[in-house]
Amino acid sequence: MTAVEQELRALRVKDIARALGKDSSVIYREIQAGRLYAYRVGTGRGTIRIPRAAFRAYLDARGIPASELEVPL
């Protein structure tokens, strides 16, 4: 996968939770509260995706350096 393809690939809730060392329920609350932008893919309940740019904005707004994440993005 090229760097451009990697950048365009959205993240899953569990990816964000793992990166922050939090439970997925915390990430769902952040999305519900409007602090982390996400969109739904698929029909019915579908699945939630978070654009990488939205995750970076979330980190920046909270002063969390990407270097402190538990997994590389």
Side-chain angles (χ1 to χ4, degrees):
M1 184 177 298
T2 67
V4 172
E5 290 171 328
Q6 180 71 16
E7 180 62 28
L8 294 175
R9 198 177 117 244
L11 299 163
R12 297 173 294 179
V13 169
K14 71 179 187 177
D15 297 331
I16 302 290
R18 191 171 349 130
L20 295 174
K22 304 288 182 187
D23 188 72
S24 293
S25 63
V26 173
I27 307 309
Y28 284 114
R29 281 195 303 267
E30 292 296 289
I31 292 167
Q32 183 70 25
R35 291 185 287 267
L36 178 59
Y37 172 75
Y39 58 91
R40 191 171 296 277
V41 176
T43 58
R45 289 184 61 197
T47 184
I48 293 177
R49 295 288 189 254
I50 299 99
R52 289 175 185 273
F55 184 49
R56 274 195 294 279
Y58 177 83
L59 294 173
D60 290 344
R62 279 144 193 82
I64 302 170
S67 61
E68 290 185 10
L69 298 179
E70 291 193 14
V71 293
L73 297 175

